[in-house]
Amino acid sequence: MSIYRNAVWFVKGLQEYTKSGYEAAAKHFAPADLDVNLSGRSFMITGCNSGIGKATAQEIANRGGTIHMVCRNKGRAEAAKDEIVERSKNQNVHVHIVDMSSARQVWDFAQNFLQSNAVHVLINNAGCMVNQRELTEEGLEKNFATNTLGTYILTTALIPALKKVEDPRVVTVSSGGMLTQKLNVDDLQFEKGTFDGTMAYAQNKRQQVILTDRWASQHKEIHFSSMHPGWADTPAVQTSMPSFHAKMQSKLRTEAMGADTSVWLAVSAAAAKQPSGLFFQDRKAVATHLPLAFTRSTPQEEEKFLAALEEFALKFKPQ
């Protein structure tokens, strides 16, 4: 990664991505934006048994929305569900056990889900940062399989159903770390050079932002957005980035602060008035590239990336 990009990004992060950055931004929030009744609307949230995903589910359940929790670990998911129900008094919270790193499982789940359920909003929150190169049972690098391909397959599978409901939305939880990365379409599996889990994660997050932009241009009936939650104190940060967590702990946002923009994008009328396909931070659309960072990809590179994803997706799609 470019030393310049990393340095500019870290300085930006200290100013904007921390707890104090959120508190400064929140002075300009409109509290009424989240004063909504979500009864009758269905929200699918991936990776929500802890951290930002769980906080997002809690806020939506508090407002009466039906929650479909898509999680990998049954025990943790059920415990999170019980807590969400207890706090919200909302019984419409459902658990679905899916490993987002398994392309076949994601396809199977989406197709089965749509046979008896509607969905108004998909929140692609699940993610991982595996620091040693690891392959899934399907032979895919695990970060790519979870963060990019799983997100692509689930969203693609749900798009036809989303087009049938009122005010459909797709929110993808990306990361400001993607600002350090230019799309590298020639090494999606991170097979070349020394493996770096943080870099792989940031590359996947860049891919999610590109996907959001492309989906928005292809499917005008749906409102697509991606977002950066800021630097939040979550179990994932503690386990995947222990040294960063130890140094920055006092400056990190709470899980609820990290979830705020995701919730705002998923439920507020104000968010739906924003153009589709943008990248948000603290309820505002922000640039997807740092100044002079040379991280923009060409249309040809993006087409090659999308074609590769489609090839992977079709390879594992049930016949």
Side-chain angles (χ1 to χ4, degrees):
M1 285 190 280
S2 157
I3 293 173
Y4 165 79
R5 285 181 211 157
N6 284 358
V8 172
W9 175 77
F10 190 72
V11 171
K12 179 182 176 68
L14 287 173
Q15 295 171 337
E16 300 177 18
Y17 302 165
T18 54
K19 185 188 296 183
S20 61
Y22 174 85
E23 290 167 344
K27 292 176 183 177
H28 306 286
F29 291 172
D33 280 0
L34 298 186
D35 186 13
V36 291
N37 181 349
L38 301 176
S39 177
R41 286 183 64 78
S42 173
F43 297 78
M44 182 184 291
I45 309 172
T46 64
C48 58
N49 61 22
S50 67
I52 290 167
K54 182 183 173 188
T56 300
Q58 185 70 66
E59 290 297 327
I60 293 172
N62 290 349
R63 291 163 175 79
T66 295
I67 307 292
H68 292 281
M69 302 173 62
V70 179
C71 302
R72 185 180 57 183
N73 185 293
K74 183 172 173 50
R76 291 208 297 258
E78 292 289 353
K81 171 192 169 180
D82 290 346
E83 191 174 324
I84 291 166
V85 169
E86 174 64 26
R87 289 181 174 180
S88 66
K89 309 307 179 190
N90 180 350
Q91 299 294 325
N92 293 317
V93 182
H94 312 279
V95 169
H96 309 270
I97 304 304
V98 185
D99 183 349
M100 289 297 296
S101 73
S102 169
R104 288 189 182 90
Q105 277 194 42
V106 176
W107 274 123
D108 286 340
F109 161 69
Q111 293 176 348
N112 291 332
F113 177 87
L114 292 175
Q115 290 177 11
S116 53
N117 299 279
V119 60
H120 295 88
V121 181
L122 168 63
I123 302 177
N124 289 310
N125 173 81
C128 69
M129 185 191 294
V130 179
N131 287 311
Q132 302 293 324
R133 189 170 186 276
E134 182 181 329
L135 299 183
T136 68
E137 290 182 1
E138 294 166 340
L140 301 173
E141 191 278 322
K142 196 160 195 176
N143 293 292
F144 169 78
T146 305
N147 301 328
T148 302
L149 187 59
T151 296
Y152 176 80
I153 291 173
L154 183 59
T155 305
T156 299
L158 295 183
I159 280 172
L162 285 162
K163 288 182 177 181
K164 296 175 183 177
V165 301
E166 184 180 353
D167 189 16
R169 308 187 194 190
V170 175
V171 180
T172 299
V173 180
S174 180
S175 168
M178 67 92 190
L179 292 169
T180 65
Q181 288 290 304
K182 179 182 185 295
L183 176 67
N184 181 5
V185 73
D186 295 319
D187 191 23
L188 296 177
Q189 301 289 316
F190 309 108
E191 296 168 294
K192 303 172 184 176
T194 304
F195 182 80
D196 181 330
T198 304
M199 182 277 291
Y201 179 82
Q203 176 70 205
N204 295 157
K205 294 299 170 177
R206 167 63 69 188
Q207 292 163 359
Q208 290 178 339
V209 169
I210 290 169
L211 280 173
T212 296
D213 177 65
R214 283 305 184 103
W215 282 326
S217 66
Q218 293 168 352
H219 307 286
K220 306 290 188 184
E221 309 95 317
I222 302 171
H223 190 277
F224 291 89
S225 58
S226 56
M227 56 79 70
H228 174 41
W231 293 343
D233 191 351
T234 66
V237 171
Q238 294 169 29
T239 56
S240 299
M241 307 175 70
S243 59
F244 174 82
H245 181 265
K247 291 173 187 172
M248 297 293 295
Q249 188 170 8
S250 64
K251 295 181 171 64
L252 297 179
R253 299 179 176 199
T254 65
E255 293 170 345
M257 290 176 179
D260 178 81
T261 295
S262 184
V263 174
W264 181 80
L265 287 166
V267 310
S268 75
K273 293 174 184 175
Q274 295 281 326
S276 184
L278 300 183
F279 177 67
F280 290 81
Q281 172 189 311
D282 293 333
R283 302 193 192 182
K284 287 177 63 177
V286 294
T288 55
H289 300 277
L290 295 169
L292 305 173
F294 302 104
T295 49
R296 296 182 189 277
S297 46
T298 66
Q300 292 79 12
E301 288 170 327
E302 293 184 8
E303 288 296 339
K304 186 177 178 181
F305 166 59
L306 290 165
L309 280 187
E310 185 65 10
E311 185 178 333
F312 279 124
L314 290 176
K315 178 180 178 181
F316 298 107
K317 185 176 184 179
Q319 300 303 313

